[in-house]
Every structure is written in structure tokens, then in C-alpha cells.
Amino acid sequence: MSKTPTPLKRDAPHWAVVGGGMLGMTLAHELCKQGVRVTLLEAAPELGGLAAAWTLQDEETGRTVTWDRHYHVTLLSDTRLRALLEEIGLAEDMRWVETKTGFYSGGKMHSMSSTLEFLNFPPLTLIEKFRLGMTIFGASKIKNWSRLEKIPVADWLRKWSGRGAFEKIWLPLLKAKLGETYETTSAAFIWAHINRMYAARRSGMKKEMFGYVRGGYPRLLDRMAEVLRDNGVEIRTAAPVTSAYARPGGGVVVETDTQTLTFDNVAFTTPSPIIARAVGDLSADEQERHNGVSYLGIVCASLLLKKPITEYYVTNITDGWVPLTAVIEMTTIVDPAELGGRSLVYLPKYVPANDPLFERSDDELRAEWLAALEKMHPHFSREDVVAMRFSRVRSVMALPTLNYSQRLPPMATSVSGIFAVNSAQILKGNLNVNETIQVADEAIAGPLAAALRQQQTHITAEDRQLQSIGT
Ligand SMILES: Cc1cc2nc3c(=O)[nH]c(=O)nc-3n(C[C@H](O)[C@H](O)[C@H](O)COP(=O)(O)OP(=O)(O)OC[C@H]3O[C@@H](n4cnc5c(N)ncnc54)[C@H](O)[C@@H]3O)c2cc1C
């Protein structure tokens, strides 16, 4: 997909892309290469969605730090994302770092960054370690992922790892990541997770290498927006789409909270329930499919600290009393010089979209989460925190529930000219930018291709007509 956009023709077909996250921006970029005019409509005041930037104010110095609202790393195996970075001129600015993983289990911190450390991991017996290791190795060899869709993840892990390893490791991890929704999640979830980590190691000299673009996603998004504008994309932020419907005689009408616009085609990249709400003319079956996608949400705190809290990029947590999914020490990867000399830590808690956690105040969460952090890391004190900000998003990741692929909404909707191209279409992976932007490629090569071909034929015919008039 490295074709360079060609200059726009007069009367080029006009597409709207709804949603200015990484998927919407990539789709807009790829549509440009097809010679169409693109308008990108984003509800928020800024681009980026889940990858958007935000600013933390250092209470001690008064200085501000702008970084990702949610932690993001790139893996060596993220080839599609790395190709995009190459295309927009940021590949040279990647910084790769070898990282370590920690496990907080039984009230203690354990390093889990090498096979030796795994073998010394005290909570498991030797047999439990062997079975757990074989489960991970076995999963990495499975090619036919679709049969895993039919099996609940807990059943699959219990069967292959045995009761001991399941109850001591897998179950607490599943609960920390998925809450009670682990019961309806398929084994494809863990397969995708293991494969991503395996692929990263395969391409990374067996070491866990994570990377980021200097300047983080704020820089990546700025550059992406610049490239889009250079290619003629009109970017409208603070433009929430409220409805879209087919116009009698052709084209699509799109309503935002302040405007009514018309396009030849529209591609939604927003979460599925938003598509169901905006496109009221979808068939009953499509409505049901979009509304039936179960989303996992997140409450995620960003903290600036006077000093680092841990040497691990990620600390997985198996102790049920800790109200967090993990602890992410971003400064194990990102140079603190980029963060005003501070340490940047994220505290994520993944929960279902309707979880009461979303209703709790910042003050309540701050008191509870910092107390937990103090208990986990005795050298940490809340006095070290110079900034703390909470992000709440209800629709983050479509859960791979049982037989998910059979209940997926179609990308080409029943409403003429409207497409649903969102991250819920990811089947063979978990949510990450590399997988997400490949949905744009699949859409262009698949369901959008017919519309694009038809429009290109139309333009060529018009061109020929104009040429013959001119001669
Ligand atoms: C805590 C966390 C950590 C992550 N870590 C990583 C990581 O380390 N590495 C990695 O590769 N990926 C990571 N990801 C995943 C990554 O952020 C996503 O894969 C990616 O950002 C999804 O992009 P998207 O465009 O599909 O969705 P979104 O970013 O959700 O974009 C959808 C956009 O649609 C807009 N929108 C919604 N409704 C409307 C409307 N009515 N009209 C117009 N616009 C609308 C939204 O405002 C939003 O901007 C992480 C995600 C989270 C939450």
C-alpha cells in the first residue's frame, strides 16, 4: 500500500471518513491513493482517538508534559505500522529498547523476563511451569485459530495448563484484563495475545524489544495530519456525526451536530454502537450485530512521578485485591528527557463498558489506587506524584466472544454508499495499532473496491468525453 497519492481530478468522487483515530486517518490516507477526495470527520476537538495526546501539568514545577493519553508501544513485528511510519518519514525516529516484565503475585514482585526467571518463579510447581510453558508454546504453533473461537478461553487454558497453573496465573490474569467477561470470551483471545508476543520475540533476537517514535503519538499524529492535509484531505474536528442515510438518486447525506453534508460514500471507523445509532436505516440484522458487539472499556490514570516506580515496563498482577489490571512504567522505554525529567506511569483498569467504575470520581480513584501502589511498592509514596489524570473510555476493544466471526457486522452495509470499517473487524489479533490499520487495507482491497472501481470507471469515461470535446 505504498502508492503515492495522485493529484485530485476535477469532480473526483468525494468520500467521508467518520472517526479520526489511527484507523480513520489511515483509511483517509489510503483512499487518497485511489484518487478520491476525502473529508475526515472527528467528534473530538483533536485527532487520535485512543491514541490521542494529552497534557499533564507538573504540580511542582508548573511545567506541562504532553504525551499519549493511553500507553503505546510498537513491536518489531508491527510491520504494517512500521511501513506507515516509513511512508510518513518517521521510521528513522523510532527508538527501540529491551524491556523487562514483572509479575506481582502473592504480595511479592517477581521478574519474568527470561526463561531462567520463569523457571525460578516461586508461585508455581515445576509441573505447573512445564504445563504453562507448553500451553504458550502450543498456542504459538496453532494456525487454525477459527476453531479456538468455539471454546471458552477459561476451558481451553484449564485443559492445557492444568488446574494449578490456571488458578494461580491464568484466572487472575483473565479477571484483571477482562473482569467477569472472561466467561464469554473465546480462546482466540489468548491465542492472539500469545502470538503477538511470540512474533515480537521472533523478530527481536529473542529479546523483548519495544519501541516508540520520539515525541510519542502526539508527534506521529501531527505528522499524519500534515501528510493528510498535503494530500488534500479536509480534516474537520469537533464534528460529531449524528446521522447518515442514502440520498434518493445517489450519494449519502451526513449530519453533524451543526451541518448537513453530502458525499458519494461514507466509511465509519467508530465503535459499532455509534454506527448503529447514526445509520438508522441499517437492516434489523445489522443493527443487532453492531449492538451485539461487547466492548471492553478502560479507566486509565497517567501519573508523573519524581522517580521511577519499577524497572519493569509492564507489571502483571495476579493478586485480586489490587484494583488495577497492570502497572506500566513508560519511562523504562521513553527517555525521561522527553517527559520533563519525570517518570511516566500508567495505571490501567479494563472493565466492561457498563461497569460502575466509570461513575466513580477522580478523588475516590486517586485515593484507592495510590494506596494500592504504596502497598505493592513499599518504596513508593504518594508524595512522589506531581500529576495524575484519569481517562475513561467505554468502547475500547471488541471482545472476541464465542463464535465472534459469525456474528460480525458486514463492512458493506445494506445502506447504499455506507461502509462500517472499524476495529471490531479484527479477527486474528487483539487490539493494537498494527492490527487496526490493517483493517483499512482489508476494506480497500475488499468491500470498498467495487465502489472505488465503479467511480474510477466513471471518472475515466468522463475524462475521455472531455478529451474528445477538447480535440
Ligand atoms: C490503554 C490502551 C493501551 C494501548 N496500548 C497499545 C500499544 O501499546 N500498542 C498498540 O499498537 N496499540 C495500543 N492500543 C490500541 C490502539 O490505541 C488502538 O488500536 C487504536 O488507537 C484504535 O484506533 P481506531 O481508529 O480504531 O479507534 P479510536 O481511536 O477509538 O477512534 C475512533 C474515533 O472515532 C471518533 N468518533 C466517535 N464517534 C464519532 C462520531 N459520532 N462522529 C465522528 N467521530 C466519532 C472518536 O472520537 C475517535 O477519535 C492501546 C489502547 C488502549 C486503550
Side-chain angles (χ1 to χ4, degrees):
M1 291 268 165
S2 60
K3 208 166 106 186
T4 319
T6 42
L8 279 180
K9 290 198 173 145
R10 218 159 40 91
D11 296 334
H14 193 180
W15 284 65
V17 173
V18 181
M22 279 305 290
L23 178 50
M25 293 175 93
T26 308
L27 186 61
H29 184 55
E30 293 302 328
L31 281 169
C32 283
K33 295 180 191 170
Q34 305 293 321
V36 304
R37 226 172 106 204
V38 184
T39 296
L40 184 61
L41 299 166
E42 165 56 45
E46 70 288 311
L47 293 172
L50 295 173
W54 76 357
T55 298
L56 300 169
Q57 172 127 34
D58 188 323
E59 287 157 13
E60 205 177 67
T61 63
R63 278 193 240 121
T64 55
V65 169
T66 300
W67 203 259
D68 309 6
R69 172 182 169 201
H70 303 116
Y71 49 97
H72 280 84
V73 287
T74 301
L75 273 53
L76 283 165
S77 51
D78 286 346
T79 48
R80 178 60 180 94
L81 174 57
R82 292 178 67 190
L84 178 67
L85 294 175
E86 185 81 47
E87 224 181 304
I88 64 174
L90 291 182
E92 294 296 307
D93 282 353
M94 282 298 294
R95 182 170 185 260
W96 296 101
V97 180
E98 192 182 333
T99 56
K100 289 173 145 191
T101 300
F103 252 80
Y104 186 75
S105 190
K108 288 204 180 79
M109 198 63 72
H110 306 275
S111 183
M112 269 278 237
S113 311
S114 67
T115 312
L116 194 65
E117 284 174 349
F118 173 66
L119 290 173
N120 285 328
F121 187 53
L124 296 179
T125 65
L126 205 59
I127 292 187
E128 286 166 349
K129 279 174 203 159
F130 176 74
R131 291 195 68 176
L132 190 129
M134 287 312 286
T135 308
I136 294 173
F137 179 72
S140 77
K141 297 286 164 215
I142 294 175
K143 296 278 174 280
N144 178 14
W145 62 274
S146 57
R147 71 185 167 85
L148 297 178
E149 264 205 333
K150 300 177 180 63
I151 311 167
V153 64
D155 291 1
W156 192 81
L157 288 171
R158 201 183 287 109
K159 178 176 169 195
W160 292 106
S161 291
R163 229 183 76 197
F166 176 75
E167 277 171 14
K168 289 183 209 165
I169 297 289
W170 289 121
L171 185 59
L173 287 181
L174 287 177
K175 284 188 173 174
K177 177 81 189 198
L178 303 170
E180 293 311 313
T181 59
Y182 82 87
E183 287 172 9
T184 50
T185 302
S186 82
F189 170 79
I190 205 74
W191 171 82
H193 198 73
I194 290 172
N195 265 280
R196 181 162 163 78
M197 287 306 140
Y198 242 79
R201 283 173 184 248
R202 264 200 299 270
S203 46
M205 300 159 290
K206 296 268 175 222
K207 288 178 182 155
E208 192 175 88
M209 298 282 284
F210 288 164
Y212 76 101
V213 173
R214 282 172 211 278
Y217 266 79
R219 170 134 181 264
L220 195 160
L221 293 167
D222 280 354
R223 176 69 192 133
M224 194 72 189
E226 194 181 359
V227 170
L228 290 179
R229 286 197 182 96
D230 286 351
N231 291 332
V233 175
E234 184 193 357
I235 299 176
R236 294 194 191 192
T237 51
V241 170
T242 51
S243 104
Y245 50 91
R247 192 173 63 156
V252 179
V253 179
V254 170
E255 289 176 1
T256 70
D257 56 345
T258 55
Q259 282 180 306
T260 300
L261 309 159
T262 50
F263 299 95
D264 293 298
N265 291 90
V266 176
F268 277 82
T269 67
T270 61
S272 272
I274 294 174
I275 302 178
R277 217 174 315 136
V279 191
D281 294 338
L282 288 178
S283 69
D285 176 61
E286 284 169 291
Q287 286 281 352
E288 204 179 304
R289 283 172 186 260
H290 279 293
N291 286 321
V293 176
S294 302
Y295 275 90
L296 200 59
I298 195 166
V299 178
C300 184
S302 305
L303 286 78
L304 285 181
L305 305 179
K306 290 180 195 167
K307 51 182 192 284
I309 200 168
T310 165
E311 61 187 304
Y312 307 116
Y313 166 65
V314 56
T315 302
N316 296 301
I317 298 166
T318 60
D319 287 9
W321 64 266
V322 184
L324 306 167
T325 299
V327 174
I328 309 290
E329 173 71 65
M330 208 63 214
T331 336
T332 55
I333 298 177
V334 178
D335 185 349
E338 299 212 48
L339 303 163
R342 298 302 195 187
S343 159
L344 174 62
V345 167
Y346 292 93
L347 303 179
K349 178 64 187 167
Y350 282 95
V351 280
N354 58 358
D355 197 276
L357 190 70
F358 286 107
E359 312 308 332
R360 297 188 57 198
S361 71
D362 286 4
D363 287 346
E364 262 183 295
L365 293 180
R366 184 184 168 110
E368 187 180 304
W369 289 13
L370 292 184
L373 218 50
E374 282 173 336
K375 199 166 158 193
M376 286 172 73
H377 298 274
H379 61 276
F380 165 78
S381 152
R382 66 189 67 200
E383 303 300 314
D384 293 339
V385 180
V386 294
M388 186 165 185
R389 198 173 166 191
F390 288 90
S391 161
R392 294 174 177 78
V393 187
R394 286 182 191 264
S395 301
V396 170
M397 176 184 140
L399 277 170
T401 44
L402 293 172
N403 300 313
Y404 181 69
S405 65
Q406 287 157 41
R407 287 178 289 105
L408 206 60
M411 277 201 206
T413 74
S414 55
V415 181
S416 174
I418 299 185
F419 297 88
V421 186
N422 63 5
S423 64
Q425 298 287 340
I426 297 173
L427 284 180
K428 288 188 255 168
N430 286 342
L431 185 78
N432 58 69
V433 174
N434 192 59
E435 288 289 341
T436 301
I437 62 178
Q438 287 180 71
V439 175
D441 300 345
E442 283 157 28
I444 299 253
L448 272 59
L452 288 164
R453 243 189 337 263
Q454 206 182 9
Q455 288 166 349
Q456 273 152 2
T457 321
H458 180 68
I459 302 173
T460 322
E462 268 187 1
D463 275 359
R464 263 192 244 112
Q465 221 171 11
L466 283 172
Q467 275 166 11
S468 65
I469 293 167
T471 49

